[in-house]
Amino acid sequence: DAGVIQSPRHEVTEMGQEVTLRCKPISGHDYLFWYRQTMMRGLELLIYFNNNVPIDDSGMPEDRFSAKMPNASFSTLKIQPSEPRDSAVYFCASRPGQLSYTFGSGTRLTVV
Amino acid sequence: AQSVTQLGSHVSVSEGALVLLRCNYSSSVPPYLFWYVQYPNQGLQLLLKYTSAATLVKGINGFEAEFKKSETSFHLTKPSAHMSDAAEYFCAVSGGATNKLIFGTGTLLAVQP
């Protein structure tokens, strides 16, 4: 089991550019979560999916953010256009039914 | 709505001393409670979880936590701190109809030699 795989590990981009973060959940896990971690706001839940369907996106900060899960083994979080305040570490997590959340290693995004 | 409050954003202990990290929760339904650890520049690793079975939960690396409903607490303890325990620790709650895992603000543990 390779765990939850996120790519890239680090991303530096210029303000206004589109950024796409990727996540491969653990096989068989039917829930997928996207979190953002910043010094100011801590760990915030952005959106989560169940069986590839978005269930709650109330944490998505703005329309610039969008997330998709086209199949059970892949999800993306896109920011377009990016802004410096989007700089953060973005984590993906997956779990089977209840409990047992497993987190990826995160993507550190820097927008300059 | 569910939430957790971690008292003390920074805790410093001496190597070999007791570690006590405090977490209080708020939940309108029976909660599931978790402690995660995050080492610098790494992801979140599960230390232990409470799932309405035994109130005293043992986790990895010698940590344990006790669920106290009357105090709405789930404090994390370790009898003897090790230098390798220096990290940030997060308490989290989940449960009920919501599938969300809600995190506290974290406690940064420093271990002094």
Side-chain angles (χ1 to χ4, degrees), chain A residues 35 37 56 95 100-101, chain B residues 38 41 49 94 99-101:
Chain A
Y35 283 85
Q37 185 178 35
D56 186 341
R95 67 162 224 235
S100 301
Y101 298 78
Chain B
Q38 185 178 33
N41 300 313
K49 62 186 177 188
S94 179
N99 288 287
K100 302 178 184 181
L101 185 61

Side-chain angles (χ1 to χ4, degrees), chain B residues 15-77:
Chain B
E15 191 174 18
L18 171 72
V19 175
L20 171 60
L21 305 182
R22 299 178 186 273
C23 173
N24 288 88
Y25 69 90
S26 173
S27 179
S28 57
V29 298
Y32 298 124
L33 294 159
F34 306 78
W35 276 99
Y36 282 85
V37 61
Q38 185 178 33
Y39 297 100
N41 300 313
Q42 293 190 26
L44 293 145
Q45 181 182 5
L46 180 67
L47 276 178
L48 49 81
K49 62 186 177 188
Y50 167 75
T51 61
S52 73
T55 56
L56 182 62
V57 182
K58 294 187 183 298
I60 62 172
N61 302 340
F63 284 93
E64 63 181 36
E66 187 172 6
F67 173 71
K68 292 187 176 181
K69 185 177 179 180
S70 61
E71 299 178 7
T72 61
S73 68
F74 191 58
H75 302 330
L76 182 71
T77 61

Side-chain angles (χ1 to χ4, degrees), chain A residues 1-110:
Chain A
D1 182 0
V4 176
I5 300 173
Q6 292 187 245
S7 64
R9 287 296 308 273
H10 302 273
E11 177 81 39
V12 181
T13 190
E14 292 186 347
M15 182 174 62
Q17 296 298 305
E18 177 179 296
V19 175
T20 299
L21 311 181
R22 297 172 175 79
C23 175
K24 177 178 169 56
I26 293 174
S27 178
H29 285 196
D30 50 6
Y31 284 87
L32 184 140
F33 302 79
W34 281 101
Y35 283 85
R36 178 173 68 174
Q37 185 178 35
T38 61
M39 289 290 291
M40 292 297 293
R41 302 173 70 90
L43 279 155
E44 304 172 276
L45 176 63
L46 301 178
I47 185 171
Y48 78 92
F49 297 82
N50 178 214
N51 292 321
N52 314 337
V53 176
I55 303 300
D56 186 341
D57 66 353
S58 60
M60 296 286 262
E62 300 172 36
D63 291 345
R64 298 184 295 107
F65 286 69
S66 63
K68 294 182 180 180
M69 193 166 185
N71 57 62
S73 59
F74 184 65
S75 177
T76 59
L77 178 67
K78 184 177 294 185
I79 309 172
Q80 166 64 17
S82 58
E83 297 184 2
R85 59 195 169 114
D86 301 331
S87 298
V89 181
Y90 291 81
F91 288 103
C92 177
S94 70
R95 67 162 224 235
Q98 277 289 352
L99 309 176
S100 301
Y101 298 78
T102 302
F103 282 78
S105 299
T107 295
R108 182 174 296 275
L109 174 65
T110 303

